[in-house]
Amino acid sequence: MEMLARLENTTLSIWLRESGIAFFTSLTLHSIAMAFVIGVNFAIAFRLVRIVPEFELKPFLKFYNLYWLSVVVIFLSGCALLLAYPAKALTNPIFYIKFSLLTIGLIISRWLQNQMQIIKNNEFSRDKYFWVAMISVFIWIGTITTGRFLAYTNSVLLASRFF
Amino acid sequence: MIDYLSAFSSSTGIYTIMNTPWGWPIVESMHFLGLSLLIGTVGIFDLRLLGIGQGIAYSDLHKLVKIGVIGYAINVTTGVMFLTTAPDQYIYNPAFQTKILFMFIAGLNMVWFYQTTSAQVKKTAALDNVTNRAKMIGGISLLCWIIVIVCGRLITYFRPPYHWCWFC
């Protein structure tokens, strides 16, 4: 807790917390990038389980540059939000659940990206990829839910108040 | 207007649901889920119109728009739940008003697309560019949805005085 208090007293942390624009920009970029990343995953998952009519998956790879750029934005804006209120996130178990789900979701999406590179479109059988797609959908729903619940479940806002 | 919205919330049970301990964050999660469905489908289609992802058939990406419509329906439903539960926090809020304005512009832009450009875009070959009008429609749509997200985040920042809005 003392370390967290020291962290939130750094100039950068104070600036992120108290300058309205820095925190708001981080929060908004986090939302936009998250919506894009989750949206792409939903689109691919729905194609794999045939909720949407079949379409060629390989050309979809061209969106992955933007996809991974969005992941970088999620990471950087997430770091900024974490640095603004380190104790709020790091003392909340929901944060670790969100982080784990996000990591698993990204590993699955990277695996699916590799599959798209090596497998022909007609070999994407529904049976083979059904569970991967469904797990991916549930993991992303879990990421959204834990992300929202983070704002409501913190027991500590600032560690400095203990010192 | 506030009274009417509050009465609607109470009579439909929305107020009760939203005031349970986890009602608000669960509905917020659903709102973001709807947004992700919208951005992952309509947003990608808009980017394709703007020239990103050359080689992807326009007609293929258009198949995803149905999912975007489901996302939009989720957003409207959950949005109504927020609005009617705490109408005074939204009706007078400039961020909310701007959000609604840009949702309306996005809707008009969509009507413009389907009336003038949709058939032509679906026939365009995957390696060809669409017309400038289609690009403009894609750009307007993407910009509108980004502004909608920004305003959505701004809503929680504004707690304006109730007399802010001259027409409410």
Side-chain angles (χ1 to χ4, degrees), chain A residues 8-25:
Chain A
E8 67 195 28
N9 282 322
T10 57
T11 316
L12 183 59
S13 178
I14 294 169
W15 178 71
L16 283 166
R17 199 164 50 243
E18 293 181 2
S19 131
I21 194 76
F23 193 79
F24 175 73
T25 305

Side-chain angles (χ1 to χ4, degrees), chain B residues 1-2 87-98 159-168:
Chain B
M1 191 168 198
I2 297 281
D88 53 348
Q89 295 296 320
Y90 291 93
I91 293 289
Y92 306 105
N93 193 322
F96 175 74
Q97 292 162 357
T98 313
R159 289 286 179 263
Y162 295 129
H163 52 77
W164 184 90
C165 174
W166 58 270
F167 57 84
C168 300

Side-chain angles (χ1 to χ4, degrees), chain A residues 23-24 27-28 31-32 34-36 38-40 42-43 46 51-56 59-60 62-63 66 141 144-145 148-149 152-153, chain B residues 22 24-26 28-29 32-33 35-37 39-40 44 47-48 52-56 60-61 63-64 66-67 146 149-150 153-154 157:
Chain A
F23 193 79
F24 175 73
L27 204 57
T28 305
S31 299
I32 293 172
M34 206 68 161
F36 182 74
I38 294 173
V40 167
F42 279 157
F46 291 153
I51 288 175
V52 289
E54 198 169 320
F55 59 83
E56 192 77 34
F60 220 85
K62 294 190 173 168
F63 277 114
L66 192 59
I141 290 175
I144 293 173
T145 310
R148 285 318 316 159
F149 272 67
Y152 296 89
T153 51
Chain B
W22 300 116
W24 197 279
I26 287 172
E28 269 191 346
S29 302
F32 196 83
L33 173 72
L35 178 76
S36 301
L37 290 175
I39 297 295
I44 281 181
L47 286 171
R48 181 68 196 92
I52 296 171
Q54 208 171 29
I56 307 175
D60 276 356
L61 280 184
K63 290 171 185 170
L64 290 171
K66 287 171 195 158
I67 300 288
I146 288 172
I149 297 175
V150 172
R153 297 272 22 161
L154 269 175
Y157 279 80

